[in-house]
Amino acid sequence: MDWQVYLAKARNNLRTAQSAYEQGDFDSCVSRCYYAVFQAAIAALIRLTDFRPAGGEWSHKVTQAEFNRRLVMRRKVFSGQIGRTLLTLIEWRHRADYAPINTSRQIARAGIALAEAFLSAIQEQLGGPHGPKSRQS
C-alpha cells in the first residue's frame, strides 16, 4: 500500500532529522523535519481520503492545501495546530536551505518537536489493529 511507503519515509526523515540535530547540523535537521511532515501528510491524504493529485505528482502547495482543506477544516480529523505545522516547517526549511544564515539549535529543536507531534497525530489516525480511526467520506 503506497500510504505505508510514505509513512515509512516520514519516519526515516524524522530519524535523519534527529541524527542531524545530534551532529549539530541544524539546517539539515529542519529540512528533514519538513520532509517528515510532508510525507506523513501524503500518507494521511491517501489513507483517509483516497485523494491523489492530478498527474500523480505530490507538490508541496497541493499537499498542504488538501491536507488542511480535507482533514483539518472539512472533516476535523486534525487540529488547526497540526495543520499549521506544514506551513511553519516549509518556511523554516526555506530559510535553512536558501538563506545566508544558519539555523539555530532552538529552531532545530522546535522543528523536531513539531515533526514528532505531527507524526504522532498521523500515526494515531492511521494505526491500530482496526485501521484508521477516521473513516473515509
Side-chain angles (χ1 to χ4, degrees), residues 77-93:
V77 175
F78 300 104
S79 70
Q81 181 178 354
I82 291 296
R84 285 187 293 279
T85 298
L86 280 159
L87 180 59
T88 298
L89 285 176
I90 199 167
E91 289 174 3
W92 293 359
R93 182 189 73 92

Side-chain angles (χ1 to χ4, degrees), residues 6 25 36-38 57 61 65 70-72 95 99-100 104 123:
Y6 283 107
D25 183 359
V37 301
F38 174 67
E57 300 233 356
K61 186 176 184 176
R70 293 170 185 265
L71 296 173
V72 175
R95 276 188 251 143
S104 71
Q123 290 174 134

Side-chain angles (χ1 to χ4, degrees), residues 20-68:
Y21 179 85
E22 291 167 7
Q23 295 173 31
D25 183 359
F26 305 132
D27 289 330
S28 295
C29 172
V30 166
S31 184
R32 291 299 97 194
C33 284
Y34 169 73
Y35 280 102
V37 301
F38 174 67
Q39 290 169 330
I42 292 171
L45 282 166
I46 292 170
R47 181 69 171 131
L48 299 175
T49 71
D50 279 335
F51 173 78
R52 300 282 195 298
E57 300 233 356
W58 290 95
S59 76
H60 299 274
K61 186 176 184 176
V62 167
T63 300
Q64 179 181 336
E66 292 301 325
F67 181 87
N68 281 295

Side-chain angles (χ1 to χ4, degrees), residues 111-124:
I112 288 174
L114 287 172
E116 287 173 341
F118 192 93
L119 262 66
S120 178
I122 297 291
Q123 290 174 134
E124 183 178 328

